[in-house]
Amino acid sequence: MQIIYLDEIGSTQIYLKELLKRKNPPIAVVANRQTDGIGSRENSWIGGDGNLFLSFALSVDDLSEEIPLQSLSIYFAYLMKEILANYGSKLFLKWPNDFYIEERKIGGVITNIVGKNVVCGVGINLVSAPDYGAILDVKVDKMLIVETFLSSVDKKMTWKQVFSNYQLEFYKNKNF
């Protein structure tokens, strides 16, 4: 997968959607700073230097047919959660696609279908967070996270395996 690294961008999602008009996936965009990011439910996802701002695109045809398209955010969020857990993080996946540590949000995933492509955005507070949020509870190099995550996406873990594991942890959502 081609990865484009940017220092600052309004939105990795918007940038990638425009790029898809000229280039074919798979492609990813990583920014050090995002000034007008897109969150779920029309919310913004803006963060300071050093946080993770990642968007990537895949062809729908490159996905396993078993993954329900409406569940892609859960699928990708769970893959990222597992990677961060492997580095010692205690984060959990709050239904359906937000990353939490205890009762504070540290990030999330948003996925859209754009033509014949899946465009997924991942934001994680690595070094700074708004007052209502928190930062990741372990120190991990941002580029290592990106490379490990995109490699995990390429491995195409089955939906059944992801969803079974997610169900085992769903009880953590009871406080919300």
Side-chain angles (χ1 to χ4, degrees):
M1 179 177 302
Q2 178 187 2
I3 304 173
I4 298 170
Y5 298 98
L6 303 169
D7 185 48
E8 181 175 321
I9 191 74
S11 164
T12 59
Q13 284 265 315
I14 292 171
Y15 181 89
L16 183 56
K17 287 176 183 178
E18 286 298 314
L19 190 60
L20 286 171
K21 293 176 183 175
R22 302 182 311 276
K23 292 186 150 232
N24 292 324
I27 192 164
V29 176
V30 180
N32 191 49
R33 186 179 323 103
Q34 183 169 258
T35 59
D36 195 24
I38 299 170
S40 57
R41 295 175 302 281
E42 305 298 318
N43 290 320
S44 63
W45 187 265
I46 299 167
D49 292 0
N51 287 336
L52 176 62
F53 307 105
L54 163 68
S55 289
F56 65 95
L58 303 168
S59 170
V60 171
D61 296 335
D62 289 338
L63 296 170
S64 172
E65 292 178 12
E66 66 162 332
I67 304 171
L69 293 180
Q70 67 272 21
S71 299
L72 286 170
S73 287
I74 295 169
Y75 179 83
F76 293 127
Y78 192 83
L79 293 180
M80 179 61 83
K81 182 216 111 28
E82 284 295 288
I83 287 163
L84 296 174
N86 286 337
Y87 290 112
S89 178
K90 304 293 183 211
L91 83 160
F92 72 94
L93 187 56
K94 180 185 159 289
W95 176 261
N97 57 343
D98 289 330
F99 302 115
Y100 270 68
I101 294 178
E102 296 177 358
E103 295 182 4
R104 298 185 73 177
K105 184 174 179 175
I106 67 158
V109 173
I110 187 169
T111 307
N112 297 288
I113 304 297
V114 179
K116 291 188 166 246
N117 300 313
V118 172
V119 176
C120 179
V122 181
I124 301 175
N125 298 330
L126 299 177
V127 296
S128 64
D131 292 338
Y132 58 84
I135 62 171
L136 186 65
D137 56 346
V138 294
K139 298 286 183 208
V140 184
D141 180 74
K142 178 177 22 180
M143 293 307 124
L144 182 60
I145 294 170
V146 169
E147 291 167 9
T148 307
F149 173 71
L150 294 176
S151 175
S152 177
V153 168
D154 285 341
K155 290 179 184 171
K156 299 180 182 173
M157 182 184 277
T158 68
W159 169 244
K160 182 178 180 181
Q161 186 177 1
V162 167
F163 192 67
S164 294
N165 291 339
Y166 180 59
Q167 284 180 307
L168 293 173
E169 298 181 4
F170 193 75
Y171 72 89
K172 295 177 182 177
N173 283 265
K174 289 182 181 179
N175 292 335
F176 293 92

